[in-house]
Amino acid sequence: MDQKNIRNFAIIAHIDHGKSTLADRLIQRCGGLEEREMKQQVLDSMDIERERGITIKAQTVRLEYKSKSGEMYQLNLMDTPGHVDFAYEVSRSLASCEGSLLVVDATQGVEAQTLANVYQAIDNNHEIITVINKIDLPAADIERVSQQVEDVIGLDASEAVPVSAKSGIGIDDLLEAVVARLPAPKGDPNAPLKALLVDSWYDSYLGVVILVRVIDGEIKKGQKIKFMNAKAVRDVERVGMFTPKPVLIDRLGPGEMGFITAAVKDISDTQVGDTITTEKHGADTTLPGFKPSIPMVFCSLFPVDNGEFDKLRDSLGKLALNDASLHYEPESSQALGLGFRCGFLGLLHMEIIQERLTREFDLDLIPTAPSVVYKIHMTNGDVIDLYNPVDLPDVVKIKMIEEPMIKATILVPDEYLGGLLQLCQERRGTQIDLTYAGNRAMLVYRLPLNEVVFDFYDRLKSISRGYASFDYQLDGYVENDLVRMDILVNNEPVDALSMIVHRSQAEYRGRGMCERLKDLIPRQLFKIAIQAAIGGKIIARESLSAMRKDVTAKCYGGDISRKRKLLDKQKEGKKKMRQYGSVEIPQSAFIAALKMGDDKK
Amino acid sequence: MSNDIPLALYFHWPYCLSKCPYCDFNSHVAASVDHERWRKAYRAEIETLHHQFPDRVISSVFFGGGTPSLMEAHTIAQITGDIARLWGLGDDVEVTLEANPTSTEAAKFADFKAAGINRVSIGVQALNDPDLKALGRHHSAAEALEAVAIARRLFERFSFDLIYTRSGHTLKAWEAELRAALPHADGGHMSLYQLTIEAGTQFQTLYDSGRLTIPEDDLAAQFYDLTAAVMEDAGMPAYEISNYAKAGQESRHNLAYWTYADYAGIGPGAHGRLTFYGGPNAQDAQAAAAHTRIATRAHKAPDIWLKTILDVPQGSTAGAPASAPYSAFQNPEILTPLMQFEEMMMMGLRLRRGVDLDAVHARTGIDPKDHLNHAAIAALCADGYITQNGTIIALTAKGMPVLNAVLRAILL
């Protein structure tokens, strides 16, 4: 189709503000699916996506729209991942479009997450149409929300389109606005092929499916193509589009979106943001903005049942087929056995992977406390990335340690501001900005990522009774007085419980962990010392006195079988115990210690 | 073949007037009991058991329950008579009856003596009336002490039970109670139990919902230590974890359990440990290993138990082959040598005298060298929980209350 009749756009919205419902309505209006085929939120194909109302993979839908003027248009709707962990994926999705619909809930207003994505859209030179959704709800306040869009984001809201995606109000007006206000793509049909790799996933029937946006030239079946950053060459096997059902076509021209398959076996060859060109007479330069994905948050996953290690490896392998940003390496822990050290884009990504392993692969897992990547500057000039606190080199060889920082944006009703300021201070934050929009405050803080990976979000939600919204972006590395705190049980370090903390917080956190362990470790026939230590220095200690009585009062002839079975059960339980010197600690104690978060008791 | 090998006999009478809220034994409350039917069943069981083990020497007889003092003396007389007729029953063989100390039951003690009982074990439980009521008992403290006095007059040997760490119990109150009870024991035998919340009892429901609290953990350990000290002082030291006696007054029947001797259980839910000897003698470990030792348990429900025994076509037991089973053989569990080893260690360590590893080896065929954690034994000796004297391992006073942890540590 002629590029002047193509419109490519993304939808930007906060969770629950109605992005998917709006997409569904647009698809329905353009006849993409029969009524009976519409399940709610067509685009979010994974159960987790549908349940949590978040999108993990980018998706596109091509719609045929006949405008009021009678002209046919090809509308390519891009559904982007909606969370900060996938900020890079979002940026590439946005880069494949010329415009965006900013969806704001008329009853809620602008949220932090929306902000970050709108700024990304603006960075991508998008034309933005503000859509005010849920206008049919009694609590809708279109005027206040429009004002907020102007105050907080700085967009002209005078031409905002009021809609109700749920009941279909204003959908025609919105489609007309898309055609009239969003720019058409301006690719060169005669230039060498240049296509942006937007996303990719593994489909059991099609193999690796690659979502592309053609910028210049065209992509067609049988072509030999090159992934410029991955330096891989493949034959195009199929070209297609989603309506949202996959439909095979011959070619994708400039300005168009669709998918290809190209006999790719390994998803790591298809990196988000890569440029696809032809192998011969291809483009000289890649599209701007490519970044290999870098995991920011790490945690170790151990199977509760050590016999499930192989199953865990296979399951991670299957997930990685679909998720190039998931990193994992085998790890062995004295406390928890064999498992994997896993790297994630962020907290949500970590949570999703853990949940999918549990739910789809039926694994019972022990996750260790999440941690970040530290940069260790050695006295000899080397710089080491530290992924696991256990691997920290000898402190005398360390010159300094840097930790990753984030810039956090928090929007919160002002009555909860005090509590949030305190939380940010406790977490070693530095205030950058504090502004008001109506009765809401917008806080910008620079915080160590390490302080955020540990239950920050839960605390934020509880302090604000769920009203605060939070978003962050990475903001470089900073040197800090960081130390490794070890937990010792009768002088034996428990590897799974070691953590990197700021020196000023070591005592507080060490004491918390010791107190918790004291309650969790069963008493034994001798006194047990539970200590937190930095290097050789003990900073907190608890002692668990010896057990004094555990015998059963009566035991006669009838009780023997029962007692023996009990003993056998205990022996079975002993297999799940870990030996620390002479101390036996049940695995369940570690699980509980790791689960309880940091500040809660 | 198995000439002169001792066998202890346990008879279970499952009925009680009411169920005590702490008791998890196999006891039932019935509107009426057909005593004649029970006599028939007991007789049939004794006969089939004798058929299987004709050459044993009966070492002790015990009537437990339930409340066996509710049995008709006539029933007991029939049982002791049958035993005497089939195997022989010497005057010196301990024949114990568990009894509740209500005045009605105490009034039957003389009849029981005439029926062959020579020792009673009385469930006094507490020496104050409000606590007795809380424990669901139907007797007063005074009534109980009167029953003890009757037993003392009639029987050369007797015992009574007390339960401590009751709800609201203090160390001071327990010490006074125990000292008040001592003169009534007359330097004989006492069983002193810590109240245990057993699964499926009324106390468990109360306990789980927080409506019942009892002294636990370190405080319970103090109760235990206090009890041990008072009893030691009184010349009735602990010979087992919860049993205290003057030398020679120990319960011979219960010692059969703790020393892992053979015993047969007759009556609903009764357990047994029985050895079928494989060789002409069992002098060495190899021969012992060739024997088959089984665990038996009769059906728990009284009516079903009775039916199983009595509703057998006439004549099916008479003239049956030597392997004809008695009712408890219906679902026997064959104990492997290792299971026997564990059971023998587990039971034997309850005794102050401990276990002789050589005897364990000979009895089970399992070499303790290979199946005990000797490093743990050394550590526990050093920490004062156990002692090892030659081949004998025994718990110390400090080790007794933590037997479970000791077993976990030393059994591989």
Side-chain angles (χ1 to χ4, degrees), chain A residues 523 525 548-553 555-557 561 564 571 574, chain B residues 193-194 218 225 242 258 273 342-343 385 401 404-405 408:
Chain A
R523 293 167 80 185
L525 288 177
R548 293 204 38 212
K549 189 170 195 322
D550 72 349
V551 77
T552 319
C555 188
Y556 299 111
S561 300
R564 174 167 43 78
K571 274 173 143 184
K574 210 168 167 175
Chain B
Y193 301 118
Q194 183 191 335
D218 288 356
D225 294 347
S242 307
W258 297 318
R273 286 290 180 282
E342 283 181 1
E343 290 191 341
Y385 288 102
N404 290 346
R408 268 202 307 279

PDB file of all heavy atoms in Angstrom, chain A residues 523 525 548-553 555-557 561 564 571 574, chain B residues 193-194 218 225 242 258 273 342-343 385 401 404-405 408:
ATOM      1  N   ARG A 523      15.777 -25.741  67.807  1.00  0.00           N
ATOM      2  CA  ARG A 523      16.786 -25.877  68.871  1.00  0.00           C
ATOM      3  C   ARG A 523      17.434 -27.254  68.784  1.00  0.00           C
ATOM      4  O   ARG A 523      16.822 -28.223  68.372  1.00  0.00           O
ATOM      5  CB  ARG A 523      16.120 -25.686  70.226  1.00  0.00           C
ATOM      6  CG  ARG A 523      15.626 -24.268  70.405  1.00  0.00           C
ATOM      7  CD  ARG A 523      14.705 -24.177  71.591  1.00  0.00           C
ATOM      8  NE  ARG A 523      15.460 -24.112  72.832  1.00  0.00           N
ATOM      9  CZ  ARG A 523      14.887 -24.120  74.032  1.00  0.00           C
ATOM     10  NH1 ARG A 523      13.596 -24.222  74.157  1.00  0.00           N
ATOM     11  NH2 ARG A 523      15.636 -24.054  75.110  1.00  0.00           N
ATOM     12  N   LEU A 525      20.840 -29.901  70.503  1.00  0.00           N
ATOM     13  CA  LEU A 525      21.340 -30.333  71.817  1.00  0.00           C
ATOM     14  C   LEU A 525      22.451 -29.439  72.346  1.00  0.00           C
ATOM     15  O   LEU A 525      23.011 -29.708  73.388  1.00  0.00           O
ATOM     16  CB  LEU A 525      21.819 -31.781  71.725  1.00  0.00           C
ATOM     17  CG  LEU A 525      20.673 -32.796  71.595  1.00  0.00           C
ATOM     18  CD1 LEU A 525      21.219 -34.201  71.424  1.00  0.00           C
ATOM     19  CD2 LEU A 525      19.746 -32.729  72.799  1.00  0.00           C
ATOM     20  N   ARG A 548      15.876 -28.567  75.702  1.00  0.00           N
ATOM     21  CA  ARG A 548      15.972 -29.257  76.980  1.00  0.00           C
ATOM     22  C   ARG A 548      15.018 -30.429  77.096  1.00  0.00           C
ATOM     23  O   ARG A 548      15.183 -31.294  77.942  1.00  0.00           O
ATOM     24  CB  ARG A 548      15.742 -28.268  78.107  1.00  0.00           C
ATOM     25  CG  ARG A 548      16.898 -27.259  78.155  1.00  0.00           C
ATOM     26  CD  ARG A 548      17.068 -26.630  79.511  1.00  0.00           C
ATOM     27  NE  ARG A 548      16.853 -27.552  80.594  1.00  0.00           N
ATOM     28  CZ  ARG A 548      16.355 -27.184  81.763  1.00  0.00           C
ATOM     29  NH1 ARG A 548      16.056 -25.932  81.995  1.00  0.00           N
ATOM     30  NH2 ARG A 548      16.192 -28.081  82.719  1.00  0.00           N
ATOM     31  N   LYS A 549      13.978 -30.431  76.288  1.00  0.00           N
ATOM     32  CA  LYS A 549      13.029 -31.532  76.436  1.00  0.00           C
ATOM     33  C   LYS A 549      12.309 -31.780  75.117  1.00  0.00           C
ATOM     34  O   LYS A 549      11.769 -30.859  74.519  1.00  0.00           O
ATOM     35  CB  LYS A 549      12.008 -31.185  77.522  1.00  0.00           C
ATOM     36  CG  LYS A 549      11.117 -32.354  77.907  1.00  0.00           C
ATOM     37  CD  LYS A 549      10.313 -32.008  79.137  1.00  0.00           C
ATOM     38  CE  LYS A 549       9.679 -33.233  79.801  1.00  0.00           C
ATOM     39  NZ  LYS A 549       9.167 -34.247  78.923  1.00  0.00           N
ATOM     40  N   ASP A 550      12.334 -32.994  74.654  1.00  0.00           N
ATOM     41  CA  ASP A 550      11.576 -33.323  73.450  1.00  0.00           C
ATOM     42  C   ASP A 550      11.017 -34.731  73.510  1.00  0.00           C
ATOM     43  O   ASP A 550      10.470 -35.242  72.565  1.00  0.00           O
ATOM     44  CB  ASP A 550      12.464 -33.179  72.194  1.00  0.00           C
ATOM     45  CG  ASP A 550      13.515 -34.291  72.095  1.00  0.00           C
ATOM     46  OD1 ASP A 550      13.703 -35.037  73.082  1.00  0.00           O
ATOM     47  OD2 ASP A 550      14.142 -34.411  71.035  1.00  0.00           O
ATOM     48  N   VAL A 551      11.145 -35.348  74.662  1.00  0.00           N
ATOM     49  CA  VAL A 551      10.795 -36.763  74.750  1.00  0.00           C
ATOM     50  C   VAL A 551       9.294 -36.938  74.920  1.00  0.00           C
ATOM     51  O   VAL A 551       8.595 -36.044  75.384  1.00  0.00           O
ATOM     52  CB  VAL A 551      11.553 -37.406  75.931  1.00  0.00           C
ATOM     53  CG1 VAL A 551      10.901 -37.026  77.257  1.00  0.00           C
ATOM     54  CG2 VAL A 551      11.609 -38.909  75.771  1.00  0.00           C
ATOM     55  N   THR A 552       8.798 -38.043  74.487  1.00  0.00           N
ATOM     56  CA  THR A 552       7.390 -38.348  74.698  1.00  0.00           C
ATOM     57  C   THR A 552       7.256 -39.087  76.020  1.00  0.00           C
ATOM     58  O   THR A 552       8.030 -40.000  76.308  1.00  0.00           O
ATOM     59  CB  THR A 552       6.870 -39.247  73.566  1.00  0.00           C
ATOM     60  OG1 THR A 552       7.436 -38.764  72.359  1.00  0.00           O
ATOM     61  CG2 THR A 552       5.383 -39.213  73.492  1.00  0.00           C
ATOM     62  N   ALA A 553       6.256 -38.663  76.808  1.00  0.00           N
ATOM     63  CA  ALA A 553       6.138 -39.182  78.168  1.00  0.00           C
ATOM     64  C   ALA A 553       5.946 -40.692  78.205  1.00  0.00           C
ATOM     65  O   ALA A 553       6.647 -41.399  78.900  1.00  0.00           O
ATOM     66  CB  ALA A 553       4.993 -38.473  78.883  1.00  0.00           C
ATOM     67  N   CYS A 555       5.634 -44.500  76.462  1.00  0.00           N
ATOM     68  CA  CYS A 555       5.930 -45.334  75.319  1.00  0.00           C
ATOM     69  C   CYS A 555       5.900 -46.791  75.733  1.00  0.00           C
ATOM     70  O   CYS A 555       6.814 -47.286  76.383  1.00  0.00           O
ATOM     71  CB  CYS A 555       7.271 -44.984  74.692  1.00  0.00           C
ATOM     72  SG  CYS A 555       7.536 -45.859  73.153  1.00  0.00           S
ATOM     73  N   TYR A 556       4.795 -47.447  75.382  1.00  0.00           N
ATOM     74  CA  TYR A 556       4.661 -48.860  75.707  1.00  0.00           C
ATOM     75  C   TYR A 556       4.545 -49.649  74.420  1.00  0.00           C
ATOM     76  O   TYR A 556       4.814 -49.130  73.331  1.00  0.00           O
ATOM     77  CB  TYR A 556       3.460 -49.060  76.649  1.00  0.00           C
ATOM     78  CG  TYR A 556       3.640 -48.319  77.953  1.00  0.00           C
ATOM     79  CD1 TYR A 556       2.857 -47.223  78.276  1.00  0.00           C
ATOM     80  CD2 TYR A 556       4.644 -48.706  78.843  1.00  0.00           C
ATOM     81  CE1 TYR A 556       3.050 -46.526  79.456  1.00  0.00           C
ATOM     82  CE2 TYR A 556       4.842 -48.020  80.028  1.00  0.00           C
ATOM     83  CZ  TYR A 556       4.051 -46.931  80.331  1.00  0.00           C
ATOM     84  OH  TYR A 556       4.258 -46.259  81.498  1.00  0.00           O
ATOM     85  N   GLY A 557       4.092 -50.895  74.549  1.00  0.00           N
ATOM     86  CA  GLY A 557       4.082 -51.799  73.393  1.00  0.00           C
ATOM     87  C   GLY A 557       3.343 -51.280  72.173  1.00  0.00           C
ATOM     88  O   GLY A 557       3.776 -51.474  71.045  1.00  0.00           O
ATOM     89  N   SER A 561       5.466 -49.024  66.876  1.00  0.00           N
ATOM     90  CA  SER A 561       5.383 -48.827  65.425  1.00  0.00           C
ATOM     91  C   SER A 561       5.268 -47.350  65.101  1.00  0.00           C
ATOM     92  O   SER A 561       5.930 -46.835  64.200  1.00  0.00           O
ATOM     93  CB  SER A 561       4.170 -49.554  64.855  1.00  0.00           C
ATOM     94  OG  SER A 561       4.280 -50.924  65.135  1.00  0.00           O
ATOM     95  N   ARG A 564       8.515 -45.601  65.585  1.00  0.00           N
ATOM     96  CA  ARG A 564       9.507 -45.907  64.553  1.00  0.00           C
ATOM     97  C   ARG A 564       9.176 -45.131  63.280  1.00  0.00           C
ATOM     98  O   ARG A 564      10.053 -44.591  62.630  1.00  0.00           O
ATOM     99  CB  ARG A 564       9.545 -47.407  64.262  1.00  0.00           C
ATOM    100  CG  ARG A 564      10.470 -47.735  63.084  1.00  0.00           C
ATOM    101  CD  ARG A 564      10.792 -49.205  62.943  1.00  0.00           C
ATOM    102  NE  ARG A 564       9.642 -50.075  63.121  1.00  0.00           N
ATOM    103  CZ  ARG A 564       8.708 -50.270  62.183  1.00  0.00           C
ATOM    104  NH1 ARG A 564       8.788 -49.652  61.028  1.00  0.00           N
ATOM    105  NH2 ARG A 564       7.697 -51.079  62.423  1.00  0.00           N
ATOM    106  N   LYS A 571      14.087 -39.002  59.814  1.00  0.00           N
ATOM    107  CA  LYS A 571      15.283 -39.313  59.023  1.00  0.00           C
ATOM    108  C   LYS A 571      15.114 -38.806  57.603  1.00  0.00           C
ATOM    109  O   LYS A 571      16.049 -38.310  56.993  1.00  0.00           O
ATOM    110  CB  LYS A 571      15.493 -40.822  58.976  1.00  0.00           C
ATOM    111  CG  LYS A 571      16.264 -41.374  60.157  1.00  0.00           C
ATOM    112  CD  LYS A 571      16.238 -42.860  60.039  1.00  0.00           C
ATOM    113  CE  LYS A 571      17.443 -43.611  60.430  1.00  0.00           C
ATOM    114  NZ  LYS A 571      17.219 -45.044  60.151  1.00  0.00           N
ATOM    115  N   LYS A 574      15.704 -35.320  57.552  1.00  0.00           N
ATOM    116  CA  LYS A 574      17.123 -35.028  57.716  1.00  0.00           C
ATOM    117  C   LYS A 574      17.798 -34.802  56.370  1.00  0.00           C
ATOM    118  O   LYS A 574      18.749 -34.051  56.256  1.00  0.00           O
ATOM    119  CB  LYS A 574      17.774 -36.223  58.411  1.00  0.00           C
ATOM    120  CG  LYS A 574      18.953 -35.892  59.279  1.00  0.00           C
ATOM    121  CD  LYS A 574      19.301 -37.109  60.113  1.00  0.00           C
ATOM    122  CE  LYS A 574      20.655 -36.951  60.779  1.00  0.00           C
ATOM    123  NZ  LYS A 574      20.937 -38.072  61.676  1.00  0.00           N
TER     124      LYS A 574
ATOM    125  N   TYR B 193       3.776 -38.772  84.420  1.00  0.00           N
ATOM    126  CA  TYR B 193       3.747 -38.384  83.008  1.00  0.00           C
ATOM    127  C   TYR B 193       3.589 -36.888  82.846  1.00  0.00           C
ATOM    128  O   TYR B 193       2.788 -36.264  83.537  1.00  0.00           O
ATOM    129  CB  TYR B 193       2.565 -39.048  82.298  1.00  0.00           C
ATOM    130  CG  TYR B 193       2.569 -40.546  82.354  1.00  0.00           C
ATOM    131  CD1 TYR B 193       1.544 -41.236  82.990  1.00  0.00           C
ATOM    132  CD2 TYR B 193       3.586 -41.272  81.740  1.00  0.00           C
ATOM    133  CE1 TYR B 193       1.533 -42.615  83.021  1.00  0.00           C
ATOM    134  CE2 TYR B 193       3.578 -42.660  81.777  1.00  0.00           C
ATOM    135  CZ  TYR B 193       2.559 -43.322  82.419  1.00  0.00           C
ATOM    136  OH  TYR B 193       2.547 -44.684  82.454  1.00  0.00           O
ATOM    137  N   GLN B 194       4.308 -36.384  81.872  1.00  0.00           N
ATOM    138  CA  GLN B 194       4.036 -35.009  81.484  1.00  0.00           C
ATOM    139  C   GLN B 194       2.810 -35.046  80.586  1.00  0.00           C
ATOM    140  O   GLN B 194       2.698 -35.897  79.705  1.00  0.00           O
ATOM    141  CB  GLN B 194       5.226 -34.444  80.708  1.00  0.00           C
ATOM    142  CG  GLN B 194       5.023 -32.988  80.343  1.00  0.00           C
ATOM    143  CD  GLN B 194       6.072 -32.512  79.340  1.00  0.00           C
ATOM    144  OE1 GLN B 194       7.160 -33.055  79.254  1.00  0.00           O
ATOM    145  NE2 GLN B 194       5.709 -31.494  78.583  1.00  0.00           N
ATOM    146  N   ASP B 218      11.187 -25.111  78.008  1.00  0.00           N
ATOM    147  CA  ASP B 218      12.126 -25.035  79.131  1.00  0.00           C
ATOM    148  C   ASP B 218      11.438 -25.233  80.475  1.00  0.00           C
ATOM    149  O   ASP B 218      11.989 -25.858  81.380  1.00  0.00           O
ATOM    150  CB  ASP B 218      12.856 -23.689  79.113  1.00  0.00           C
ATOM    151  CG  ASP B 218      13.859 -23.637  77.966  1.00  0.00           C
ATOM    152  OD1 ASP B 218      14.011 -24.660  77.258  1.00  0.00           O
ATOM    153  OD2 ASP B 218      14.484 -22.580  77.782  1.00  0.00           O
ATOM    154  N   ASP B 225      13.004 -32.167  85.587  1.00  0.00           N
ATOM    155  CA  ASP B 225      14.184 -32.229  86.458  1.00  0.00           C
ATOM    156  C   ASP B 225      13.773 -32.274  87.926  1.00  0.00           C
ATOM    157  O   ASP B 225      14.343 -33.015  88.729  1.00  0.00           O
ATOM    158  CB  ASP B 225      15.089 -31.016  86.201  1.00  0.00           C
ATOM    159  CG  ASP B 225      15.697 -31.046  84.798  1.00  0.00           C
ATOM    160  OD1 ASP B 225      15.616 -32.106  84.144  1.00  0.00           O
ATOM    161  OD2 ASP B 225      16.229 -30.009  84.355  1.00  0.00           O
ATOM    162  N   SER B 242       9.567 -42.088  82.211  1.00  0.00           N
ATOM    163  CA  SER B 242       8.457 -41.617  83.033  1.00  0.00           C
ATOM    164  C   SER B 242       8.091 -42.572  84.166  1.00  0.00           C
ATOM    165  O   SER B 242       7.022 -42.460  84.735  1.00  0.00           O
ATOM    166  CB  SER B 242       7.215 -41.409  82.159  1.00  0.00           C
ATOM    167  OG  SER B 242       7.508 -40.589  81.066  1.00  0.00           O
ATOM    168  N   TRP B 258      10.401 -52.472  76.738  1.00  0.00           N
ATOM    169  CA  TRP B 258      11.606 -51.653  76.629  1.00  0.00           C
ATOM    170  C   TRP B 258      12.856 -52.478  76.305  1.00  0.00           C
ATOM    171  O   TRP B 258      13.807 -51.950  75.754  1.00  0.00           O
ATOM    172  CB  TRP B 258      11.795 -50.833  77.914  1.00  0.00           C
ATOM    173  CG  TRP B 258      10.661 -49.860  78.144  1.00  0.00           C
ATOM    174  CD1 TRP B 258      10.062 -49.095  77.200  1.00  0.00           C
ATOM    175  CD2 TRP B 258       9.996 -49.582  79.380  1.00  0.00           C
ATOM    176  NE1 TRP B 258       9.050 -48.353  77.763  1.00  0.00           N
ATOM    177  CE2 TRP B 258       8.984 -48.621  79.111  1.00  0.00           C
ATOM    178  CE3 TRP B 258      10.132 -50.042  80.696  1.00  0.00           C
ATOM    179  CZ2 TRP B 258       8.138 -48.099  80.091  1.00  0.00           C
ATOM    180  CZ3 TRP B 258       9.299 -49.520  81.675  1.00  0.00           C
ATOM    181  CH2 TRP B 258       8.313 -48.569  81.364  1.00  0.00           C
ATOM    182  N   ARG B 273       4.725 -58.015  69.215  1.00  0.00           N
ATOM    183  CA  ARG B 273       6.020 -58.240  68.548  1.00  0.00           C
ATOM    184  C   ARG B 273       6.334 -59.714  68.780  1.00  0.00           C
ATOM    185  O   ARG B 273       6.484 -60.141  69.944  1.00  0.00           O
ATOM    186  CB  ARG B 273       7.138 -57.389  69.176  1.00  0.00           C
ATOM    187  CG  ARG B 273       7.100 -55.915  68.828  1.00  0.00           C
ATOM    188  CD  ARG B 273       7.453 -55.671  67.365  1.00  0.00           C
ATOM    189  NE  ARG B 273       7.419 -54.257  67.004  1.00  0.00           N
ATOM    190  CZ  ARG B 273       6.302 -53.570  66.767  1.00  0.00           C
ATOM    191  NH1 ARG B 273       5.125 -54.134  66.857  1.00  0.00           N
ATOM    192  NH2 ARG B 273       6.369 -52.296  66.425  1.00  0.00           N
ATOM    193  N   GLU B 342      16.405 -50.474  64.975  1.00  0.00           N
ATOM    194  CA  GLU B 342      15.939 -49.138  65.368  1.00  0.00           C
ATOM    195  C   GLU B 342      14.975 -49.211  66.547  1.00  0.00           C
ATOM    196  O   GLU B 342      15.049 -48.412  67.481  1.00  0.00           O
ATOM    197  CB  GLU B 342      15.248 -48.451  64.192  1.00  0.00           C
ATOM    198  CG  GLU B 342      16.252 -47.914  63.185  1.00  0.00           C
ATOM    199  CD  GLU B 342      15.577 -47.212  62.021  1.00  0.00           C
ATOM    200  OE1 GLU B 342      14.327 -47.123  62.010  1.00  0.00           O
ATOM    201  OE2 GLU B 342      16.304 -46.763  61.130  1.00  0.00           O
ATOM    202  N   GLU B 343      14.058 -50.176  66.472  1.00  0.00           N
ATOM    203  CA  GLU B 343      13.082 -50.299  67.554  1.00  0.00           C
ATOM    204  C   GLU B 343      13.766 -50.653  68.870  1.00  0.00           C
ATOM    205  O   GLU B 343      13.425 -50.122  69.924  1.00  0.00           O
ATOM    206  CB  GLU B 343      12.029 -51.365  67.198  1.00  0.00           C
ATOM    207  CG  GLU B 343      11.104 -50.919  66.080  1.00  0.00           C
ATOM    208  CD  GLU B 343       9.888 -51.818  65.881  1.00  0.00           C
ATOM    209  OE1 GLU B 343       9.911 -52.980  66.351  1.00  0.00           O
ATOM    210  OE2 GLU B 343       8.930 -51.353  65.261  1.00  0.00           O
ATOM    211  N   TYR B 385      25.181 -36.018  77.521  1.00  0.00           N
ATOM    212  CA  TYR B 385      23.833 -36.515  77.260  1.00  0.00           C
ATOM    213  C   TYR B 385      23.747 -38.031  77.404  1.00  0.00           C
ATOM    214  O   TYR B 385      22.708 -38.562  77.754  1.00  0.00           O
ATOM    215  CB  TYR B 385      23.371 -36.133  75.849  1.00  0.00           C
ATOM    216  CG  TYR B 385      23.058 -34.670  75.707  1.00  0.00           C
ATOM    217  CD1 TYR B 385      23.946 -33.802  75.093  1.00  0.00           C
ATOM    218  CD2 TYR B 385      21.863 -34.157  76.205  1.00  0.00           C
ATOM    219  CE1 TYR B 385      23.648 -32.448  74.976  1.00  0.00           C
ATOM    220  CE2 TYR B 385      21.556 -32.813  76.090  1.00  0.00           C
ATOM    221  CZ  TYR B 385      22.452 -31.964  75.474  1.00  0.00           C
ATOM    222  OH  TYR B 385      22.162 -30.635  75.370  1.00  0.00           O
ATOM    223  N   PRO B 401      15.446 -36.343  78.968  1.00  0.00           N
ATOM    224  CA  PRO B 401      14.343 -35.559  78.392  1.00  0.00           C
ATOM    225  C   PRO B 401      14.548 -35.173  76.925  1.00  0.00           C
ATOM    226  O   PRO B 401      13.653 -34.587  76.329  1.00  0.00           O
ATOM    227  CB  PRO B 401      14.273 -34.313  79.287  1.00  0.00           C
ATOM    228  CG  PRO B 401      15.574 -34.233  79.984  1.00  0.00           C
ATOM    229  CD  PRO B 401      16.135 -35.615  80.056  1.00  0.00           C
ATOM    230  N   ASN B 404      14.527 -37.948  71.888  1.00  0.00           N
ATOM    231  CA  ASN B 404      14.251 -37.913  70.446  1.00  0.00           C
ATOM    232  C   ASN B 404      15.418 -37.320  69.669  1.00  0.00           C
ATOM    233  O   ASN B 404      15.809 -37.837  68.630  1.00  0.00           O
ATOM    234  CB  ASN B 404      12.972 -37.122  70.154  1.00  0.00           C
ATOM    235  CG  ASN B 404      11.735 -37.859  70.636  1.00  0.00           C
ATOM    236  OD1 ASN B 404      11.817 -39.053  70.941  1.00  0.00           O
ATOM    237  ND2 ASN B 404      10.620 -37.164  70.719  1.00  0.00           N
ATOM    238  N   ALA B 405      15.972 -36.230  70.192  1.00  0.00           N
ATOM    239  CA  ALA B 405      17.104 -35.594  69.509  1.00  0.00           C
ATOM    240  C   ALA B 405      18.324 -36.516  69.543  1.00  0.00           C
ATOM    241  O   ALA B 405      19.077 -36.605  68.567  1.00  0.00           O
ATOM    242  CB  ALA B 405      17.426 -34.250  70.162  1.00  0.00           C
ATOM    243  N   ARG B 408      17.835 -39.155  66.906  1.00  0.00           N
ATOM    244  CA  ARG B 408      18.059 -38.583  65.573  1.00  0.00           C
ATOM    245  C   ARG B 408      19.547 -38.467  65.280  1.00  0.00           C
ATOM    246  O   ARG B 408      19.993 -38.683  64.166  1.00  0.00           O
ATOM    247  CB  ARG B 408      17.431 -37.196  65.478  1.00  0.00           C
ATOM    248  CG  ARG B 408      16.016 -37.186  64.950  1.00  0.00           C
ATOM    249  CD  ARG B 408      15.670 -35.813  64.386  1.00  0.00           C
ATOM    250  NE  ARG B 408      15.911 -34.716  65.288  1.00  0.00           N
ATOM    251  CZ  ARG B 408      15.086 -34.360  66.265  1.00  0.00           C
ATOM    252  NH1 ARG B 408      13.961 -35.018  66.457  1.00  0.00           N
ATOM    253  NH2 ARG B 408      15.371 -33.349  67.052  1.00  0.00           N
TER     254      ARG B 408
END
